[in-house]
Amino acid sequence: MSIHNDVPTLDEIPDAIGFPHTVMPTGWFQVGWSHELKVGDVRPLKYFKQQQVMYRGEDGGVIVMSAFCAHFGAHLGHGGRVDGCNIVCPYHGWVWGPDGRNVFAPHEGKASSANRRMKRYPATESSGIIWVWHDAQDRDPLWPAPPERRGERNFLPIGPATSYGWQDVTAHPQYVVENVVDIDHFIYVHKNTYIPELRSPDDYPTLDLREPIGHVIAKPPRGSSQCHGVGVIVVDFPVDKDRPWRSPAVVYSCTTPIDNETSDMFGCVLVEQDASVEGADNETPVGRALKRVSEQRFQQQADFTIWKNMVYMRRPAYSRYEGKLFLQVRQWAEQFYPEDAA
Ligand code: FES
Ligand SMILES: [Fe+2]
């Protein structure tokens, strides 16, 4: 027998591989950009193994509800029309209010007497992002949506030039949130030059994961991350004295699951304009600001090929220092998978 047979292969550790949850995670997730949804706009959505309709009523509020009309099943996101703060179904004209209740059924001349309503998803906006709360057990939001950050500095607005996204990416949000503490991959995937090849405990971040909004505090001058559940990562990049050309920024990296294999990814950067560039306006990043946006966009998709083709390791072969960080993040993330959901 070869000596190598003393060490198991992955095939010989049957529970080493496979993500342990099938329920869609609980939390706030990005479903769009504020600047892309004007009053009266209606959009179909497809998240959390379900389908939804999103619209903006005339009071400016964003409403998200289940896609299928509770009368006869038409998809409100394909041909539905906004009337005031209500949505009108394209099939038989039933009108649904922002609270999901029927307000008018034309053939009855009044609100439908049928005992039906539309499922509502709590929705809100901050930093130019539209957030939706998802919970497989239909619990009300258990923590607040990510806060507004635009007023903190003289940031450029979130718009087409400061935001980006990718649809139908093969990745689960869990991969993305675990990435935040995956120090080694910052060298190989993201070409980070701060971290020495031979790591010491000082190179690893401090974690504060007591709440659903977890904090990963990297050693200065690197960024510190807030993880709002598994779907939203907000990274604060401070002023970097060693790299004065690198603008401080707030970077969003959002992953919204479509099903267990596929997610939509969204990203945006709050950054100040590079005023040293002639003709710089208050809308479109140029110079250093543009470089910052381009870099973050590049970094957010740098892992896609890895995620698309990897298997989830339930029991990884943790190297020194690694296990402590990953195990803490995985234990924290358990709260977002209510397995007993119907
Ligand atoms: S299916 Fe919507 S009104 Fe009939
Ligand atoms: Fe990464």
Side-chain angles (χ1 to χ4, degrees):
M1 184 191 280
S2 150
I3 190 168
H4 298 297
N5 289 345
D6 296 342
V7 180
T9 65
L10 282 177
D11 291 349
E12 290 162 348
I13 318 170
D15 63 344
I17 287 174
F19 189 60
H21 301 292
T22 54
V23 68
M24 290 278 90
T26 294
W28 291 97
F29 295 90
Q30 179 169 359
V31 294
W33 300 107
S34 300
H35 67 270
E36 289 185 351
L37 191 74
K38 307 269 183 276
V39 169
D41 282 349
V42 178
R43 300 266 185 276
L45 302 177
K46 213 175 189 172
Y47 293 119
F48 323 118
K49 299 183 193 170
Q50 294 161 351
Q51 296 197 49
Q52 301 86 9
V53 60
M54 170 169 76
Y55 68 93
R56 194 185 292 282
E58 71 175 13
D59 66 352
V62 176
I63 305 296
V64 177
M65 56 176 72
S66 49
F68 303 111
C69 180
H71 171 227
F72 229 79
H75 196 307
L76 296 175
H78 295 280
R81 158 176 81 75
V82 175
D83 180 12
C85 294
N86 304 326
I87 186 160
V88 184
C89 178
Y91 205 3
H92 313 99
W94 283 31
V95 183
W96 300 97
D99 61 356
R101 294 193 182 278
N102 185 268
V103 295
F104 192 68
H107 66 279
E108 294 188 39
K110 59 180 176 58
S112 164
S113 49
N115 192 24
R116 295 279 172 86
R117 72 184 165 90
M118 303 292 291
K119 173 183 164 162
R120 273 288 316 273
Y121 291 73
T124 185
E125 295 172 272
S126 66
S127 297
I129 296 170
I130 303 173
W131 309 105
V132 154
W133 170 260
H134 170 260
D135 179 57
Q137 295 181 328
D138 282 332
R139 289 170 294 180
D140 287 336
L142 300 168
W143 61 90
E148 180 61 65
R149 303 290 307 270
R150 284 176 293 192
E152 292 178 15
R153 299 174 87 103
N154 190 23
F155 289 133
L156 287 162
I158 295 299
T162 47
S163 62
Y164 35 86
W166 300 265
Q167 292 183 316
D168 299 315
V169 179
T170 305
H172 191 286
Q174 179 81 18
Y175 288 12
V176 187
V177 82
E178 288 189 10
N179 232 235
V180 176
V181 295
D182 190 335
I183 302 307
D184 289 11
H185 104 289
F186 286 123
I187 298 176
Y188 298 99
V189 176
H190 301 287
K191 314 297 179 205
N192 188 306
T193 52
Y194 283 118
I195 304 163
E197 194 72 28
L198 207 58
R199 258 77 76 205
S200 80
D202 289 344
D203 297 314
Y204 291 82
T206 311
L207 309 187
D208 180 351
L209 302 175
R210 289 168 295 180
E211 303 289 335
I213 302 168
H215 297 264
V216 179
I217 302 133
K219 298 289 178 300
R222 284 176 274 139
S224 290
S225 308
Q226 292 159 40
C227 304
H228 297 252
V230 293
V232 182
I233 301 164
V234 185
V235 189
D236 279 273
F237 289 98
V239 176
D240 183 346
K241 288 195 189 64
D242 296 334
R243 299 172 178 213
W245 64 89
R246 205 163 195 262
S247 326
V250 180
V251 177
Y252 286 77
S253 169
C254 301
T255 310
T256 308
I258 297 166
D259 55 32
N260 287 119
E261 283 78 40
T262 320
S263 300
D264 280 352
M265 304 276 199
F266 303 84
C268 64
V269 183
L270 286 170
V271 65
E272 289 181 289
Q273 182 62 294
D274 183 348
S276 69
V277 176
E278 205 179 320
D281 63 19
N282 292 323
E283 283 287 325
T284 312
V286 292
R288 283 196 307 273
L290 176 60
K291 209 164 162 245
R292 203 74 172 84
V293 175
S294 307
E295 181 187 323
Q296 293 307 146
R297 181 195 187 109
F298 173 79
Q299 294 294 14
Q300 192 174 343
Q301 54 79 54
D303 307 84
F304 284 6
T305 305
I306 301 276
W307 292 333
K308 179 173 181 181
N309 296 290
M310 72 183 280
V311 290
Y312 185 84
M313 286 284 263
R314 199 183 295 211
R315 290 176 55 197
Y318 290 123
S319 68
R320 203 151 73 111
Y321 312 127
E322 244 179 21
K324 202 173 136 222
L325 292 162
F326 278 96
L327 287 168
Q328 283 183 75
V329 168
R330 288 184 172 193
Q331 195 179 17
W332 165 81
E334 279 299 306
Q335 67 186 301
F336 308 116
Y337 301 101
E339 276 305 325
D340 51 341

